[in-house]
Amino acid sequence: MERKLNLILLGAPGAGKGTQAELISARYGIPAISTGQIIREEIASGSELGEAVKSYTSKGELVPDSVVIDIIKARLAKDDCENGFILDGFPRTVPQAAALDEMGVCITDVISIEVADEDIMTRMSGRRVCKKCGATYHVKYKPSPAGENCGVCGEPLTIRADDDPAVVKSRLEIYHAQTEPLKEFYDQKGLLKIVYGQEKLEDTTALTAAALEG
Ligand code: AMP
């Protein structure tokens, strides 16, 4: 049996957190929780919360801490998190990380997937997502077995509005200013491991698996 994992994946938008989260989720049988995906579902459903956060997300800005903290609090309270979980895209600011501590959430591992900004810009232009089930693909690095449709549910794949190059550039700036300090935050707790994202998905997967085992 695998050890219990309460894992945080850090990394710039497009570094491959979502893909690694899905793979680790399948391997350990624990949920991968993406605040970005939860927010996109809220927006798609037209809920009050979705309407309130839409303007931030479409511009690539961070949603206010209090909103995402409430989202994650509710999600981590669900039964399926009892045996572990993977956080993909949360925390993204130091106050969000502090909120996890205040909730009494015990994080066992933090992995930061590092990819140079120039490579992120190239990668993002090929990213495709399924709006229905949330599966993510890349035209070059992780093509869907169903071509332009989702390999899981068959829905036509779409490009996220915030993957537009100008928006990506500003998301990278926000990442460096607000999220990157979390590396220091978790390094001081002795939890941080760095994985250098590779061009080939399977190479990054192998390095991530080694970081979790080592
Ligand atoms: P992602 O799919 O993780 O790239 O998230 C997409 C968008 O959702 C981000 O650009 C933010 O607008 C919002 N978002 C997701 N997670 C967070 C978070 N932890 N804090 C603030 N905003 C977030």
Side-chain angles (χ1 to χ4, degrees), residues 34-37 39-40 56-57 60-63 68 88-92 96 160 162 171:
S34 155
T35 38
Q37 178 59 18
I39 287 168
R40 280 188 289 282
Y56 298 100
T57 300
E61 289 170 9
L62 294 185
V63 167
V68 274
D88 158 19
F90 186 97
R92 260 181 159 94
Q96 291 178 20
R160 279 170 46 172
D162 56 352
R171 289 167 71 201

Side-chain angles (χ1 to χ4, degrees), residues 129-206:
V129 294
C130 173
K131 264 194 178 154
K132 193 170 166 206
C133 76
T136 58
Y137 302 93
H138 191 281
V139 288
K140 183 170 167 203
Y141 302 116
K142 191 191 167 199
S144 167
E148 287 174 18
N149 293 329
C150 177
V152 179
C153 73
E155 195 74 1
L157 296 175
T158 57
I159 300 175
R160 279 170 46 172
D162 56 352
D163 280 350
D164 172 84
V167 180
V168 172
K169 198 159 176 279
S170 103
R171 289 167 71 201
L172 282 170
E173 281 163 14
I174 293 172
Y175 168 75
H176 291 304
Q178 305 218 45
T179 309
E180 224 169 6
L182 290 177
K183 289 200 288 188
E184 176 67 21
F185 182 94
Y186 286 114
D187 195 26
Q188 279 179 4
K189 292 178 187 278
L191 294 175
L192 181 73
K193 287 179 183 144
I194 302 283
V195 164
Y196 291 97
Q198 306 293 309
E199 180 154 349
K200 282 198 184 135
L201 167 62
E202 54 270 35
D203 293 340
T204 308
T205 305

